[in-house]
């Protein structure tokens, strides 16, 4: 029997079949496809691993120039989750629980670093010069914040709750004098196999002792200003940034690439942009943007392939992301600022640990109704990029499609 004959007989049988049977078969087929698609996404969508014990600690340089033992990282997220659990059990009012604890300092900087021993010093030099000049230090000789905001904090003690958290929990109450001074840098070594950790600690030591040493740029920083966190294995830029942002103490939080490509002094522009759009709850996001550089010499000199992939990715973003995110002209610049009040609506729900994590952050901010501002910043091309133009571009496209679908069909959801 040839194909045409088989097709003809099949069509004839279909015409004689009861309509109800045809509809049943169509519904069954559609349901099967939908279930298969959901199961595929359930398997394909990334699930970040929980942080390991050693990754919840940091090292810093003490006032005598020695390297500290591993110290426990403070975590606003652990505190926030424990308070939510208390509210769920009616052990405290919900309006006290569903807020993040007060800041201890003004600015937290999260720097994801994977094998960055050659580029980290330059970035840190620019950063500490600006941070010290603008915000000064807010630490004592042991690296403890001198903030008075904790005196305006309502304390509730919980021991041995369901998630294993114990100790003093803090629920924010209005403060008449929120942190306006002080800064910290959290360097997240993302499974580095080179001397990234040693480079960061040596930089901190040299600048803490700069009054007694000869440096080309002798900016003095206080003990404990720079904290170094070591991830046991590489998680990806998104995983490193998210991990660091769980442990920040600042009123504002910015993540910045270790290569120093962004002009760090433009942090002032990000703060102004964020403050202009902040809502009544103090939530806001400022996105550093290089879109104004399109057509400039820095971009024109890029290869045709790189520029083609860049434009293709931007088109895909416009097609797959929700309205506010799709209007952002540069989602991938590694220089983004978040107000502290916005973090609980973003960080607990992050899944992507790859290059596409920026987009998930912005989508989560949009879904929570957090205002966003795109701010033009200075930027320069820096050698040593770890981005593989072709494979990472394809990976970002795939990651974006999976991410959008997973949120769209409910594989990912807010608790």
């Amino acid at each position: 029997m040839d194909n045409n004959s088989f097709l003809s007989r099949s069509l004839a049988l279909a015409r004689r079949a009861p309509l109800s049977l045809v509809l049943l078969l169509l519904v069954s087929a559609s349901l099967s496809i939908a279930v298969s698609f959901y199961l595929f996404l359930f398997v394909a969508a990334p699930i970040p691993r929980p942080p390991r014990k050693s990754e919840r600690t940091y090292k810093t340089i003490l006032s005598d120039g020695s390297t500290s033992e591993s110290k426990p990282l403070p975590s606003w997220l652990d505190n926030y989750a424990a308070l939510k659990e208390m509210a769920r059990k009616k052990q405290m009012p919900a309006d006290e629980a569903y807020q993040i604890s007060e800041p201890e300092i003004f600015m937290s900087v999260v720097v994801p670093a994977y094998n960055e021993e050659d580029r980290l010093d330059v970035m840190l030099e620019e950063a500490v010069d600006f941070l010290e000049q603008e915000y000064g230090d807010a630490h004592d000789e042991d690296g403890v914040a001198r903030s008075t905001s904790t005196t305006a904090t309502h304390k509730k003690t919980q021991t041995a709750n369901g998630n294993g958290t114990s100790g003093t929990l803090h629920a924010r109450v209005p403060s008449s004098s929120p942190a306006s001074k002080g800064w910290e840098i959290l360097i997240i070594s993302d499974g580095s196999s080179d001397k990234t950790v040693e480079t960061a600690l040596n930089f901190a030591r040299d600048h803490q002792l700069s009054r007694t040493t000869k440096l080309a740029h002798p900016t003095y920083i206080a003990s404990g200003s720079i904290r170094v966190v070591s991830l046991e294995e590489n998680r990806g830029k998104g995983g490193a940034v998210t991990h660091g942002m769980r442990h920040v103490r600042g009123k504002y939080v910015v993540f910045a690439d270790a290569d120093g490509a962004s002009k760090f002094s433009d942090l002032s522009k990000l703060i102004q942009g964020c403050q202009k759009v902040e809502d009544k709850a103090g939530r806001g996001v400022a996105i550093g943007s290089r879109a104004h550089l399109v057509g400039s010499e820095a971009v024109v000199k890029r290869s045709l392939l790189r520029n083609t992939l860049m434009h293709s990715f931007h088109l895909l973003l416009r097609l797959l992301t929700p309205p506010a995110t799709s209007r952002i002209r540069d989602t991938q610049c590694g220089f983004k600022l978040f107000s502290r009040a916005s973090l609980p609506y973003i960080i607990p729900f992050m899944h992507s640990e790859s290059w596409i994590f920026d987009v998930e952050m912005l989508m989560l901010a949009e879904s929570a109704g957090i205002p966003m501002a795109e701010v033009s910043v200075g930027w320069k091309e820096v050698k040593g990029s770890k981005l593989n133009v072709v494979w990472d571009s394809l990976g970002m496209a795939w990651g974006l499609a999976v991410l959008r679908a997973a949120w769209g069909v409910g594989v990912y959801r807010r608790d």
Side-chain angles (χ1 to χ4, degrees), residues 65-180:
S66 63
T67 302
S68 72
E69 298 294 328
S70 294
K71 298 183 176 186
L73 274 169
S75 174
W76 65 263
L77 183 56
D78 288 348
N79 181 76
Y80 179 77
L83 288 171
K84 283 180 64 177
E85 182 63 17
M86 290 177 67
R88 188 186 68 82
K89 294 178 178 179
K90 310 297 184 184
Q91 295 175 349
M92 70 180 299
D95 61 347
E96 290 185 11
Y98 288 82
Q99 300 183 66
I100 190 171
S101 55
E102 285 283 349
E104 298 178 29
I105 53 179
F106 184 75
M107 180 60 62
S108 292
V109 182
V110 175
V111 182
Y114 174 64
N115 290 345
E116 291 288 358
E117 64 172 321
D118 294 329
R119 304 193 295 180
L120 188 57
D121 271 354
V122 175
M123 180 270 168
L124 289 176
E125 198 72 67
E126 183 181 358
V128 299
D129 282 352
F130 176 82
L131 292 168
E132 188 62 28
Q133 179 179 347
E134 292 293 316
Y135 310 121
D137 70 88
H139 302 88
D140 62 22
E141 287 303 303
D142 294 316
V144 178
R146 295 192 192 113
S147 171
T148 58
S149 63
T150 53
T151 62
T153 302
H154 178 62
K155 299 180 180 180
K156 287 187 176 287
T157 301
Q158 160 108 359
T159 57
N161 65 22
N163 61 13
T165 302
S166 63
T168 301
L169 306 178
H170 305 279
R172 188 184 70 175
V173 296
S175 171
S176 58
S177 56
S180 59

Side-chain angles (χ1 to χ4, degrees), residues 241-299:
V241 169
T242 302
H243 182 80
M245 292 181 75
R246 295 186 184 115
H247 301 282
V248 292
R249 299 174 293 155
K251 180 179 179 181
Y252 290 98
V253 182
V254 66
F255 69 81
D257 288 343
D259 60 6
S262 298
K263 184 181 178 183
F264 200 88
S265 59
D266 282 342
L267 178 59
S268 294
K269 294 182 181 179
L270 293 184
I271 296 171
Q272 292 169 7
C274 185
Q275 290 176 339
K276 284 181 181 179
V277 300
E278 281 178 9
D279 60 19
K280 293 181 179 179
R283 304 181 310 164
V285 176
I287 304 144
S289 176
R290 304 158 296 183
H292 63 292
L293 296 174
V294 173
S296 68
E297 184 179 6
V299 175

Side-chain angles (χ1 to χ4, degrees), residues 111-115 187-192 196-197 228-232 240:
V111 182
Y114 174 64
N115 290 345
I187 299 169
I188 314 300
S189 176
D190 190 16
S192 298
T196 293
V197 170
V228 182
V229 182
S230 296
L231 303 185
E232 292 183 11

Side-chain angles (χ1 to χ4, degrees), residues 205-240:
R205 180 183 293 107
D206 289 343
H207 285 72
Q208 287 176 203
L209 303 177
S210 63
R211 291 169 177 170
T212 58
T213 58
K214 296 180 180 180
L215 291 178
H217 302 280
T219 302
Y220 173 75
I221 64 175
S223 173
S225 299
I226 295 177
R227 299 180 170 190
V228 182
V229 182
S230 296
L231 303 185
E232 292 183 11
E233 61 185 50
N234 183 263
R235 299 187 64 169
K237 182 181 176 182

